[in-house]
């Protein structure tokens, strides 16, 4: 490969970076690579050599930022896969020192905070075009087709679009199911690409952040179903895995359901116990679920199932305290189930999981809509649902129905109001209520399912007790209230300290 012949420069060859590089190579792009760790550069060259057979090298290793730029066709296209935060700016500054030009494009693919992307576009204006694309799908997605959420300068997008659409996951538009191939050198070319331009800079990472919030909720809901089956229905990991596999044939078909079954079937090679029984029950988190919850609170969009999922991870981390409390705090006596009752309860739980999942997605889409209004983004929710049908962690058949709902009504205020979803919940709500009640009566925590049902009930309630709440606020803080029978926006106040104020006569 001669100088200036590479199409793309790639910086950061961790798990995601090296897989994205090989994905680009599979699609015919010549990639110049750089990482501060020379071993990683050597590793990708070796991987390319083993995958390309007798074809010429598709990947070229570089020792410096300057060397990387020297190998690229102009204007340069450079992709970063480095940890979110300071490392992104560190690389950007090195690229400036190495001579990156104003019309060169630098694409951040990390799990960056969306406001950082907004600041970076401004900060690097005139030095190069800062663009970002959020990536979902983990290492396998990165290698064989992730879901991509690009946003930023529209001119840059016209240059990047063919690359990102090529390497993204593909979906069968009719069934909404992923078209997958996990064979190096044989990428999927047919089907609809799971990459769409989301909007101005920051919008893509915002959407990815909400994707992760939904991911947290989806995972927590599955874990709650597992917990209920394990504790209240006395089912073992194998039996639960079998049930998950059955559910995965229906409306709950999803990647997360599939991998949950696989995790439950895994044996611990050391003890021959189910692996799940030796994994410490303390959940980690890198922060994107928390960002979603914070953003929901900031813009005032109800996302309690997502927030509950974040807090579920927090309480899980209090392992020592929970162990102590388990010996001190009373709970109910668990009621054993007959075989017939268990069969019925499992079916109810499937519906409870499904209804809760609808609410989690409704919250995520509602949050994106609220944020879009606030930031002046025009988000296309049908397209967003479509690019999540393959490649990403929350990929599920279910997203086809969400895409349809927004195609039928692009101004849909809430997914719950889409005829398909309102009918589904109407059909299954009794089972949902039954499952959540049963869990509570047995003392099994199900914060995400419970929050989902409360969200549903609050959303369908015309008069909430916020009238009393406004009265309380007016009482102690003179915060005023509005009236149902007067013009909206007009404020009223009662002089609560006046003993002569009129009061409702108590009827005896
Ligand atoms: C994805 C994932 C990915 C990742 C996050 C969440 O879409 O590919 O969401 O971004 O798994 O790092 O991880 P935590 O659970 O550690 O927050």
């Amino acid at each position: 490969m001669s100088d200036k012949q590479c199409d793309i420069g790639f910086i950061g060859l961790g798990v995601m970076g090296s897989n994205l590089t090989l994905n680009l190579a599979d699609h015919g792009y010549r990639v110049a690579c750089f990482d501060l760790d020379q071993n990683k550069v050597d590793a990708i060259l070796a991987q390319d050599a083993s995958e390309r057979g007798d074809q010429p090298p598709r990947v070229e290793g570089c020792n410096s930022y300057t060397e990387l730029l020297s190998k690229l066709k102009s204007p340069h296209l450079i992709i970063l896969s480095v940890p979110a935060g300071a490392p992104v700016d560190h690389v950007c500054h090195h690229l400036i020192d190495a001579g990156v030009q104003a019309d060169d494009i630098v694409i951040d693919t990390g799990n960056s905070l969306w406001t950082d992307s907004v600041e970076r576009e401004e900060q690097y204006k005139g030095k190069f075009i800062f663009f970002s694309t959020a990536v979902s799908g983990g290492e396998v997605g990165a290698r064989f087709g992730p879901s991509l959420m690009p946003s930023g300068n529209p001119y840059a997008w016209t240059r990047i679009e063919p690359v990102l659409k090529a390497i993204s996951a593909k979906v069968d538009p009719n069934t909404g199911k992923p078209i997958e191939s996990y064979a190096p050198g044989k990428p999927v070319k047919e089907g609809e690409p799971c990459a769409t331009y989301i909007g101005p800079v920051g919008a893509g990472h915002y959407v990815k952040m909400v994707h992760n919030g939904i991911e947290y909720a989806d995972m927590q809901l599955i874990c709650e179903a597992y917990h209920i089956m394990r504790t209240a229905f006395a089912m073992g990991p194998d039996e639960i895995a079998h049930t998950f596999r059955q559910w995965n044939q229906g409306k709950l078909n999803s990647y997360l359901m599939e991998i949950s079954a696989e995790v439950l079937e895994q044996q611990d090679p050391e003890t021959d116990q189910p692996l799940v029984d030796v994994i410490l029950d303390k959940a980690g988190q890198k922060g994107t679920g928390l960002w979603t919850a914070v953003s929901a609170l900031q813009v005032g969009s109800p996302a309690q199932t997502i927030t509950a999922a974040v807090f579920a991870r927090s309480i899980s981390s209090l392992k020592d305290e929970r162990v102590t409390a388990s010996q001190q705090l009373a709970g109910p006596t668990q009621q054993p189930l007959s075989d017939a009752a268990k069969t019925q309860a499992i079916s109810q739980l499937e519906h409870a999981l499904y209804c809760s999942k609808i609410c989690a997605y409704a919250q995520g889409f509602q949050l994106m809509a609220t944020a879009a209004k606030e930031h002046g983004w025009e988000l296309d929710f049908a397209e967003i649902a479509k690019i999540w049908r393959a490649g990403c962690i929350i990929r599920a058949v279910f997203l086809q129905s969400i895409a349809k709902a927004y195609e039928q009504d692009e101004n849909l205020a809430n997914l719950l109001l889409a005829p398909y979803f309102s009918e589904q919940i109407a059909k299954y709500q009794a089972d949902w209520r039954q499952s959540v009640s049963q869990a509570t009566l047995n003392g099994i925590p199900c914060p995400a399912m419970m929050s989902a049902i409360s969200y549903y009930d609050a959303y369908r309630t015309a008069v909430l007790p916020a009238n009393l709440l406004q009265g309380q606020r007016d009482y102690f803080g003179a915060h005023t209230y509005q009236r149902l029978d007067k013009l909206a926006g007009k404020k009223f106040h009662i002089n609560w300290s006046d003993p002569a104020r009129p009061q409702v006569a108590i009827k005896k």
Side-chain angles (χ1 to χ4, degrees), residues 169-206:
K170 306 293 182 306
V171 73
D172 177 336
N174 300 316
T175 61
K177 292 202 169 169
I179 308 172
E180 289 163 338
S181 157
Y182 299 111
K186 295 197 177 71
V188 178
K189 304 230 169 170
E190 70 276 21
E192 248 171 44
C194 291
T196 193
Y197 180 71
I198 302 287
V201 72
H205 267 96
Y206 191 91

Side-chain angles (χ1 to χ4, degrees), residues 111 136-138 208 211-212 215-216 285-288 313 393:
N111 255 340
S136 177
K208 171 61 171 39
H211 164 286
N212 279 28
E215 174 185 301
Y216 273 50
Q285 51 183 313
K286 293 213 185 90
T288 45
R313 292 195 189 193
I393 303 298

